[in-house]
Amino acid sequence: MPANKVLSVLKYVSRMKKEFMLSELKDYVEDEMSIQAIYNEVSSSLFDLRLNAIPMGNDFRIMRAPGKETLVLSPEDKELMSSFLKFGTIPKKLQRLIEQYIGEKTSKDWDDPIVLEKIRWAIQSQKAGYWKEGKARKISYEKGYSILGYLAYQFPVYFIQFQHILYGMELDGLLKTRMKIVDFGTGPGTVPAAIADHYMRLGNAEVDIHSVELYDENLEAYKHIVPEYAKDNLNVKVEETIKANIKDLTADDLPDKVDMMVFSNVLNEISELSLDEKAALLKELSKKLVDDGNIVLIEPADKANSTELRRLMFALKGSGLNVYSPCSFIWCAGCKPDECWSFEQKNDINPPVLMKKLADCEEPFRYLNTDIKYSYVILRKDRQTRIKFKVPLKAKFARLATIDKFADKRINIVCSVMSGDLGDNKYSVYKVCDGTSRKQVYVILPFHNMNVENNAIKEADYGGIIKIYDVLVKYNEEKDSYNLILGKMSAVEKVE
């Protein structure tokens, strides 16, 4: 029987009954079909029909699922999430799946010295290619030991990193009790694995995970790791990966009613597309995004990639996709993306066993990758923004656009904190922005000047708004930037 007729039968029965066995559909199906064949025909439509299929022996119990509501974390959920992110430990089951895949792929034990040495070589090769510029910059995680190197070196950090992003979105009320998420350029499945792990801790939420990937060996690794990791949790459904090149995608290639689209460390690698072409691609794919959905763009924290991300953000701003965070535009003005970069920083992860094994050599620092630093943008179709604050009319704050007029003078400013602490044990240093900056501006808090009045800058969230009073402006000729020096009489006040 054609799939659309089987689906029509499912819709009919689900309207009549709140709960039923999938085998009951056989009474309405003309052709002789097995229960598994019926399930295969309808499984991809269950989420949009608000139906859950619970395996029961050789059959499935079909039940109506709850509607999409804003996900509200309980105090217990928050405590569990905070504890997990504080320690940053990769779950043992996930570590074992990665180790098993390495063993199957190499036909050797995952910790065989020869295997470890080849993975080290792959990591070094990837790092060398990453820091090249122009056409010489080639990043490949497409096959063989390049994928194993990625699983050993990048996967752990990106896995924990995306859960930080998810948790922040939950606290902001951006996620729902039922989510359909598409991860683009998924590779071996870092983001889907993070999503699955995250939702396993939530007893009141469900997620339907879709992904896009081109290369066969990445698809192989994905199938070995992600569905296996998620298979025992009924709140998590992992769909078949769409095999495609991201740059050739259209909205018709994607599922309907997507709640979140994720591009994690992938757009910077599509060197054949111009900035405008990338913006056009995202605009096209966003046709499948629900009106209150989110597009999450994530790139490395280095200046080149972070600046390029801001340029892409501005190319999209005003085209029907609006910036939710981290930028706030508190003066209702646009800044210059060619000179803008910023990044978020979180606690270091706890290196998994595989990473520790790789670091058990003469140069361990080459193979330990534990710090979480990343640039990101969240885009939405609606006008919602994370920061609602706007500078009041006639407020006595200087705009950073005019900071050159105040060199060697003391001023008051209001701004966003756009980095973690970049300093050392003598100085705390923070990049700041007010949406009007023409040059890079940093707030510097010398340790000997620290007091209760100015210490609030150390407690500000990334993207959070602060007011700074009585701060000294200094021009840094070497960096062509400005430093705002906090003194003992300076005061910092958190706004949002």
Side-chain angles (χ1 to χ4, degrees):
M1 177 175 284
N4 61 337
K5 290 189 176 181
V6 178
L7 188 59
S8 295
V9 169
L10 174 68
K11 292 178 180 178
Y12 171 75
V13 176
S14 66
R15 286 195 295 268
M16 302 296 292
K17 298 182 177 182
K18 292 183 178 180
E19 184 177 323
F20 57 93
M21 301 303 293
L22 190 64
S23 56
E24 295 180 37
L25 269 61
K26 297 183 71 172
D27 296 335
Y28 301 86
V29 175
E30 296 176 1
D31 300 336
E32 188 65 30
M33 294 180 70
S34 68
I35 296 173
Q36 187 61 49
I38 294 174
Y39 176 77
N40 292 342
E41 294 288 359
V42 303
S43 61
S44 62
S45 301
L46 291 172
F47 189 87
D48 287 338
L49 293 174
R50 285 182 54 189
L51 297 173
N52 286 334
I54 302 173
M56 298 191 69
N58 295 324
D59 207 341
F60 296 86
R61 181 176 295 280
I62 307 300
M63 304 174 63
R64 291 184 187 176
K68 289 183 177 181
E69 301 173 352
T70 300
L71 177 60
V72 178
L73 298 182
S74 68
E76 292 77 17
D77 288 334
K78 292 180 181 179
E79 184 177 353
L80 189 61
M81 292 295 183
S82 296
S83 178
F84 170 77
L85 294 173
K86 177 181 179 180
F87 294 103
T89 300
I90 307 299
K92 289 183 179 179
K93 179 181 177 181
L94 188 55
Q95 291 190 53
R96 286 195 298 269
L97 285 170
I98 292 172
E99 292 163 3
Q100 288 169 4
Y101 178 71
I102 293 173
E104 291 182 12
K105 193 67 178 172
T106 63
S107 299
K108 296 178 181 292
D109 292 337
W110 68 270
D111 56 354
D112 183 282
I114 295 175
V115 171
L116 293 176
E117 191 57 35
K118 288 184 177 180
I119 293 177
R120 291 187 188 105
W121 182 87
I123 292 170
Q124 289 191 49
S125 178
Q126 289 164 2
K127 290 167 70 175
Y130 180 89
W131 292 111
K132 292 181 180 178
E133 297 182 358
K135 294 183 178 180
R137 185 176 186 266
K138 294 181 179 180
I139 305 172
S140 175
Y141 310 115
E142 300 171 9
K143 60 183 179 179
Y145 274 92
S146 67
I147 295 175
L148 304 189
Y150 178 94
L151 288 170
Y153 190 77
Q154 281 95 347
F155 183 101
V157 166
Y158 293 158
F159 174 83
I160 301 293
Q161 174 178 293
F162 194 70
Q163 298 206 47
H164 276 287
I165 293 172
L166 281 175
Y167 185 48
M169 295 177 74
E170 284 167 346
L171 294 178
D172 284 354
L174 297 185
L175 302 191
K176 306 166 189 173
T177 51
R178 301 186 79 236
M179 294 281 291
K180 183 186 292 184
I181 302 177
V182 181
D183 179 42
F184 294 84
T186 196
T190 311
V191 167
I195 295 169
D197 184 71
H198 195 84
Y199 273 80
M200 287 177 189
R201 295 190 198 90
L202 299 174
N204 62 337
E206 300 175 3
V207 64
D208 187 30
I209 304 172
H210 297 253
S211 54
V212 178
E213 175 55 39
L214 175 62
Y215 298 107
D216 289 336
E217 290 195 43
N218 270 323
L219 291 168
E220 177 188 79
Y222 183 103
K223 289 178 181 179
H224 184 99
I225 296 168
V226 180
E228 282 297 308
Y229 187 59
K231 69 178 182 180
D232 295 328
N233 194 287
L234 297 178
N235 289 347
V236 178
K237 186 178 181 184
V238 180
E239 304 288 356
E240 190 76 18
T241 304
I242 301 168
K243 184 178 181 182
N245 193 323
I246 296 175
K247 68 183 182 66
D248 298 325
L249 284 174
T250 67
D252 291 338
D253 299 315
L254 304 180
D256 295 325
K257 300 177 183 178
V258 177
D259 296 292
M260 185 191 302
M261 296 180 174
V262 182
F263 296 80
S264 178
N265 301 289
V266 63
L267 292 175
N268 77 86
E269 297 177 10
I270 309 177
S271 57
E272 59 268 39
L273 293 186
S274 68
L275 185 76
D276 289 340
E277 288 171 332
K278 290 178 184 178
L281 174 63
L282 290 175
K283 181 64 177 156
E284 163 67 19
L285 299 180
S286 71
K287 292 176 182 178
K288 287 297 183 76
L289 191 72
V290 296
D291 289 342
D292 60 349
N294 302 280
I295 297 179
V296 183
L297 310 181
I298 310 164
E299 296 292 3
D302 63 276
K303 188 173 182 178
N305 281 306
S306 184
T307 301
E308 187 70 5
L309 176 61
R310 300 293 163 224
R311 293 179 63 225
L312 178 59
M313 179 189 80
F314 271 86
L316 288 163
K317 188 174 180 287
S319 68
L321 292 173
N322 299 294
V323 180
Y324 173 81
S325 69
C327 300
S328 54
F329 310 108
I330 56 178
W331 286 98
C332 300
C335 57
K336 296 180 65 176
D338 288 341
E339 298 176 1
C340 176
W341 67 282
S342 69
F343 63 91
E344 174 73 286
Q345 186 172 355
K346 298 294 185 181
N347 296 334
D348 288 359
I349 71 165
N350 182 17
V353 175
L354 173 58
M355 191 182 290
K356 290 177 180 177
K357 281 282 187 180
L358 291 169
D360 186 15
C361 62
E362 292 183 358
E363 297 180 305
F365 64 92
R366 293 184 180 276
Y367 310 105
L368 285 173
N369 183 25
T370 60
D371 58 323
I372 297 181
K373 294 180 181 179
Y374 58 94
S375 297
Y376 81 93
V377 172
I378 296 177
L379 301 163
R380 292 174 62 90
K381 288 183 176 180
D382 58 24
R383 307 297 297 182
Q384 187 175 352
T385 59
R386 184 173 187 269
I387 299 297
K388 308 298 189 294
F389 175 83
K390 302 298 179 187
V391 181
L393 293 174
K394 299 182 179 180
K396 296 182 179 180
F397 295 104
R399 294 192 185 205
L400 294 183
T402 61
I403 196 171
D404 56 314
K405 298 178 181 179
F406 301 104
D408 299 319
K409 297 179 181 179
R410 294 185 174 276
I411 60 173
N412 302 332
I413 68 162
V414 58
C415 59
S416 302
V417 177
M418 300 303 291
S419 77
D421 191 344
L422 306 173
D424 51 29
N425 57 357
K426 293 184 179 179
Y427 302 92
S428 286
V429 179
Y430 297 87
K431 188 177 186 298
V432 296
C433 176
D434 69 353
T436 73
S437 311
R438 294 193 176 95
K439 296 184 183 295
Q440 304 300 313
V441 181
Y442 300 87
V443 174
I444 298 179
L445 175 56
F447 181 78
H448 59 270
N449 284 345
M450 190 181 303
N451 59 36
V452 68
E453 296 296 327
N454 58 37
N455 196 49
I457 192 169
K458 300 177 71 67
E459 301 169 359
D461 296 328
Y462 178 70
I465 306 298
I466 58 173
K467 295 177 181 178
I468 306 179
Y469 300 94
D470 196 25
V471 64
L472 178 63
V473 178
K474 284 291 188 181
Y475 176 63
N476 185 331
E477 185 174 358
E478 181 182 353
K479 301 291 186 180
D480 190 26
S481 62
Y482 284 91
N483 295 333
L484 304 176
I485 313 299
L486 290 171
K488 292 181 179 180
M489 300 303 292
S490 303
V492 177
E493 174 187 332
K494 289 176 64 175
V495 177
E496 291 195 33

